[in-house]
Each structure stands twice: as C-alpha cells, then as structure tokens.
Amino acid sequence: MEQQSKTINLFIDYLFEDRQFAEKIIRRLSIFNKENVSIFNYEIISDGTDLTNGQIADRLYDFDIIICIVTPDYLASTKDIIEDTLNELADKNNKYIIPIIYTPTNWSSKKWIVGNRIFPKNDLSISELNDLELERTLNSIIETIESIILQNKYKTNQSNISIKDKQELIFISHSHDDSDFAELLKLKLEKANINCWIDSEKLKIGQEWRQEIDDGISRSKAVIVIMTPEARKSEYVTYEWAYAWGKNKKIFPIMLKQTTLHPRLESLQYLDFTNKASRPYSELILSLQKI
C-alpha cells in the first residue's frame, strides 16, 4: 500500500567561496520542486542572524538529506560539535549525508564522509573532472537524491520483511558500481506495485551470500539483469543470472551502458536504457506485469 508522502527537508552546506558550484547544484535540485522537497542553505536557516555552532548542530537534525561541499577549508571550519552531529546522523537509517569533494581534500579520517556515498566516485574531486565527467557526476547526484525521495514517498509495508517471507518478487542483479540506478529502478517498480529484491539491501557481513542469493532467485518470478561493462566483468552478476537461467526463471536484460553480452544473454531481447531521457520504464513494467 502506498504511504502518504512526507516533506523532504534538504540542506546544502558550503563555504561562501564555493557558492557558484553550490548554486549549480541548487538549480539542478529545482526539478524536485513539485515533489514535496524543501531546500535550505545557511542563509535560509539563519534568517539573517549569526547562529552559534550549537544552534547549527541542532538544526541539522531537522534535515533528511544533507549535502556537504567538501574542501580543505570547509573541513577546517567544521567545528567539533557539528562534526559530532554529522557522525551521529551518518549512523541513522532515515538520514542521508552526501559529501561532494569539490577540491582535492584529505577526508579519510572523517567518519561522516567515509561512511557515506561520496561524489565523485573515481577518487577525484569535482575540480579535477572534465566537462563530461562533471555532467555525469551531477546526474548521478541527482539520481541518488531522486532515489531517496522515491524511497520516502513509496515505501512498502513489506520493506523490512525477510526475503524468505516474500513471494512473487522480481530479483534485480547489478554490479556494485550501478547500485544508484538499481535502487532507483527498484523504487520505480515498487511504485507500480511490483515487489523487488536487491541483494545489497539484504546481505550482511557474515551471512552465506550464495545461499541467500540462491533463495532469493528461487523465490522470484523473474530476474532483471542490469548490464554495463562493470556488470559484464562481475562474477556475482554472472553467477546470479546463470543460476536464474538454470532455474528456468524469466530473465530481463537491461542495457544501462553499452557493453558486449554473454552469448546466452544475447539470445534474449534486452531493453535499451542507455538514453537517460527515454528509458523504457513503461515497457519494462508492462512486461513484468504480464508474467
């Protein structure tokens, strides 16, 4: 059952000298104006007054998503009380911290950064990217935020039920590098009342991952395989779709990034998701509903 959506409060934090890049992010975030998302920065929360570090730390608890534009000066200016709050929020399941490394920065000792999804993903900073890489990174940031928004809007009542208690699931196989898209796909399908399972959200350290995967696929009525060059090289992805093939499960390959397919997958018709502007979600949903 679809739950009533809540307002998502998003805070973007940055130094004044990085304002131009922050405003670029804010302009991108404007696509969520109709999604019950409120965007804040320091000027808005301070309302023209100087806040103490304690007051800033207290306000951070009000936000669901916190974007931090990270530079050496930003880290140097972040007081202990604020850093302690960020560390605490980083451990909460319903809070999301998104560090964006703007210039080369030594952040490896910062728990609230290390424990979160960091952008860019290639160990570079924003300032070191070329135009194409920058555009891809900005798109990935927006997709991540969209995934969080959808997750809050369309959580299902079964979200915390064990895979062994679920039936008629769609199993989504993907490379770790494509986890952002996999989560977004899962949420779009669940919005259409199609229950999905992604191994990354269930498998914990110490569990027998292969047995869990086998159980998940065995209880699924179909498997979606997200294909990219990274997935093509992934032993986990290959194992998952090959096991599904052996179990006579319906397999739906999705071409997210152009790559060669395994000969067995070549025999199946894949859906072309390489063009972000015209991804055939409706066609995929219709095909899954027909199973």
Side-chain angles (χ1 to χ4, degrees):
M1 180 181 297
E2 184 175 304
Q3 298 180 347
Q4 184 177 1
S5 62
K6 62 181 285 274
T7 298
I8 304 296
N9 292 320
L10 184 152
F11 178 64
I12 180 166
D13 195 27
Y14 52 90
L15 296 181
F16 181 80
E17 56 261 35
D18 305 319
R19 185 185 186 96
Q20 185 175 0
F21 176 70
E23 289 177 343
K24 180 180 291 188
I25 295 289
I26 291 172
R27 286 194 296 272
R28 295 286 183 116
L29 293 173
S30 65
I31 65 171
F32 301 125
N33 286 345
K34 297 181 180 179
E35 297 290 341
N36 220 18
V37 177
S38 297
I39 301 172
F40 300 83
N41 58 15
Y42 178 81
E43 286 79 5
I44 295 175
I45 67 171
S46 65
D47 196 23
T49 63
D50 290 330
L51 299 180
T52 66
N53 291 314
Q55 289 173 321
I56 295 173
D58 287 341
R59 286 302 310 273
L60 292 179
Y61 290 98
D62 297 334
F63 302 108
D64 304 289
I65 304 171
I66 300 173
I67 299 174
C68 300
I69 310 298
V70 178
T71 65
D73 288 343
Y74 178 87
L75 293 184
S77 67
T78 302
K79 303 303 180 184
D80 288 346
I81 188 172
I82 296 176
E83 189 161 335
D84 288 344
T85 301
L86 289 172
N87 287 335
E88 181 182 346
L89 293 174
D91 290 332
K92 293 184 177 294
N93 292 330
N94 60 342
K95 301 291 184 182
Y96 303 87
I97 298 177
I98 301 177
I100 302 176
I101 312 303
Y102 186 48
T103 58
T105 305
N106 183 6
W107 47 263
S108 59
S109 64
K110 304 299 180 181
K111 174 186 171 184
W112 64 270
I113 296 181
V114 173
N116 282 286
R117 190 171 298 169
I118 301 165
F119 295 94
K121 298 180 180 180
N122 54 4
D123 295 326
L124 297 176
S125 67
I126 292 291
S127 64
E128 298 173 289
L129 302 181
N130 60 38
D131 290 345
L132 179 59
E133 292 170 332
L134 175 60
E135 185 65 20
R136 286 174 176 170
T137 298
L138 292 175
N139 287 338
S140 184
I141 292 169
I142 296 303
E143 282 191 353
T144 298
I145 294 171
E146 182 180 12
S147 175
I148 294 169
I149 292 169
L150 286 171
Q151 183 175 353
N152 278 272
K153 286 185 66 178
Y154 303 112
K155 284 181 179 177
T156 65
N157 292 333
Q158 295 180 319
S159 59
N160 294 318
I161 299 176
S162 167
I163 180 65
K164 295 181 179 180
D165 297 326
K166 290 185 176 181
Q167 300 293 331
E168 298 300 294
L169 288 162
I170 302 299
F171 186 96
I172 300 178
S173 176
H174 70 287
S175 163
H176 173 74
D177 293 310
D178 306 316
S179 57
D180 289 348
F181 174 76
E183 289 288 350
L184 178 61
L185 175 62
K186 174 179 180 289
L187 292 166
K188 284 184 178 292
L189 294 180
E190 289 187 339
K191 182 180 177 181
N193 296 318
I194 298 173
N195 288 332
C196 303
W197 187 64
I198 300 179
D199 56 13
S200 62
E201 70 178 8
K202 295 295 178 186
L203 296 187
K204 307 297 182 185
I205 294 174
Q207 286 184 332
E208 293 291 335
W209 71 267
R210 181 164 293 182
Q211 187 59 53
E212 286 288 309
I213 293 296
D214 291 354
D215 289 345
I217 294 174
S218 295
R219 288 173 169 79
S220 299
K221 60 180 180 179
V223 174
I224 295 173
V225 185
I226 299 174
M227 293 307 305
T228 63
E230 295 77 19
R232 181 69 172 87
K233 295 181 290 186
S234 170
E235 294 181 5
Y236 292 96
V237 174
T238 301
Y239 175 84
E240 288 167 356
W241 70 254
Y243 184 83
W245 186 289
K247 288 290 184 178
N248 294 316
K249 299 293 181 179
K250 186 76 172 177
I251 298 176
F252 293 86
I254 285 179
M255 186 71 74
L256 182 61
K257 300 175 188 174
Q258 201 63 47
T259 188
T260 57
L261 294 178
H262 187 280
R264 283 192 175 181
L265 292 183
E266 278 186 338
S267 65
L268 304 175
Q269 184 176 0
Y270 68 82
L271 289 175
D272 188 353
F273 274 64
T274 57
N275 186 344
K276 183 181 177 182
S278 59
R279 288 173 176 167
Y281 288 106
S282 297
E283 183 178 348
L284 175 61
I285 289 170
L286 183 61
S287 297
L288 293 173
Q289 290 173 335
K290 289 180 178 179
I291 300 175

